[in-house]
Amino acid sequence: MSVWKIAPALAAGNTIVYKPAEVTPVTAMKLFEILEEVGIPKGVANMVMGRGTVVGQTIAESNDVDIVSFTGSTDVGRSIMKAAAGNLKKISLELGGKSPNIVFADADLETAVDYGLFGTFFGAGQVCSSGSRILVEESIYDEYVKRYVERANKIKVGPGLAEDSNMGAIVSEAQLNSILNYIEIGKQEGATLAAGGYRLVDDGLDKGYFIAPTVFTDVTPDMRIVQEEIFGPVVVIQKFKGEDEAIKLANDTDYGLAGGVFTNDGAKGLRVIKKVRAGITWVNDYHPTYVEAPWGGYKQSGIGRSLGKYGLDEYQEIKQININLDVKPVGWFPN
């Protein structure tokens, strides 16, 4: 994802300072080794390590920085907005999400379940556009939940380098504890824990941070597990009666990053997805990313767009140049 920012910034003729997340810097280090090997002039692409509260804050506050492009949590995005006010620098923020995945009764059930699992548990749910709220039409709700839970329980969780792993680890102990805390909140709020809900420690998994794929049902819109981004392998499955209610529930959070609709009625799919207030959407699909298309969200999911021409525009300024081809006095004032 760093390349989503670095490539267009350099292509637009800028010099950059890149700060990777402090818990996941290794791929960024390798990338910058490659940049040096291919001969990018010194000082054009720079990487600085450190905590966001120190290094990131300094970058956001600096009068020498013209734009800050950030991918991460909504809370940190707010902090960057405040810090950027010093020199009114441009900001591009790709923030959190609580994205809806709407399944109508006329959808292909197996396909909808399959993408529901992929949309939630890909990357162990640590994906900003994760489809962490599945909305299922009432008439197929029980059947969908039954099949979804059956398959969720079959997911093989383990180290990313293990060939038989379907889902990997949580990024840090702090994030692990945050996810487990949300699971407890869900129980306390009265939701039904239909699958998972615990840390995995058997077969050597106690050496890492692993959580079983977790499914909550019988949830209500006011629950924190429905409204707040958990950023882990936790999904809530909601029930709706008709198209209008599906749209209302889909838009009933502070976020607006992504969303999906599953139906065999093409007209309904297009009609509904247009009404979902989100910047990245799919019909009968979930998660593919196309570098030629804009990526970004509505509401508290961010400001600006990455990828495509839109992503290149983020790193450029518009300038007006006027050239007078009839060079003579304007004659407005008397001689």
Side-chain angles (χ1 to χ4, degrees), residues 29-188:
M29 291 173 63
K30 184 61 178 177
L31 173 63
F32 273 78
E33 288 176 4
I34 294 170
L35 291 177
E36 188 171 354
E37 287 175 10
V38 299
I40 288 184
K42 290 187 181 301
V44 172
N46 309 275
M47 182 170 70
V48 182
M49 299 287 196
R51 293 192 173 276
T53 52
V54 179
V55 177
Q57 185 74 12
T58 300
I59 291 172
E61 292 176 346
S62 174
N63 288 335
D64 294 325
V65 175
D66 295 320
I67 176 174
V68 170
S69 180
F70 170 75
T71 296
S73 73
T74 297
D75 285 343
V76 174
R78 289 193 187 95
S79 298
I80 289 173
M81 286 190 76
K82 293 175 183 177
N87 68 332
L88 296 178
K89 64 170 60 67
K90 186 177 180 181
I91 55 174
S92 179
L93 305 174
E94 201 264 270
L95 307 176
K98 194 71 178 178
S99 300
N101 188 357
I102 304 169
V103 181
F104 285 98
D106 62 359
D108 181 87
L109 181 67
E110 282 303 312
T111 299
V113 169
D114 194 61
Y115 275 101
L117 294 163
F118 184 65
T120 299
F121 300 124
F122 175 74
Q126 299 165 113
V127 180
C128 54
S129 56
S130 176
S132 54
R133 289 187 298 136
I134 301 178
L135 283 58
V136 183
E137 195 162 3
E138 188 176 50
S139 62
I140 63 164
Y141 180 85
D142 291 341
E143 186 180 3
Y144 184 95
V145 168
K146 178 176 179 290
R147 185 67 180 128
Y148 191 96
V149 169
E150 286 175 354
R151 291 194 57 187
N153 286 329
K154 294 178 181 178
I155 294 173
K156 172 67 174 177
V157 181
L161 294 178
E163 291 186 3
D164 61 342
S165 292
N166 305 134
M167 191 181 87
I170 306 305
V171 70
S172 68
E173 185 176 17
Q175 184 61 22
L176 173 87
N177 291 333
S178 174
I179 296 166
L180 292 174
N181 182 56
Y182 267 113
I183 291 171
E184 290 305 311
I185 289 170
K187 295 177 186 176
Q188 294 165 13

Side-chain angles (χ1 to χ4, degrees), residues 221-278:
D222 59 318
M223 291 180 177
R224 287 183 62 187
I225 59 169
V226 175
Q227 291 293 324
E228 299 177 16
E229 183 179 41
I230 298 173
F231 212 68
V234 180
V235 66
V236 297
I237 306 182
Q238 298 174 264
K239 185 186 299 183
F240 68 86
K241 292 183 178 179
E243 193 173 311
D244 290 343
E245 186 182 12
I247 294 165
K248 180 181 178 182
L249 290 172
N251 293 330
D252 187 27
T253 73
D254 292 332
Y255 297 103
L257 186 57
V261 171
F262 282 80
T263 175
N264 280 326
D265 183 336
K268 179 167 65 177
L270 186 59
R271 181 171 65 246
V272 172
I273 205 65
K274 283 184 174 182
K275 293 179 180 178
V276 174
R277 294 201 65 208

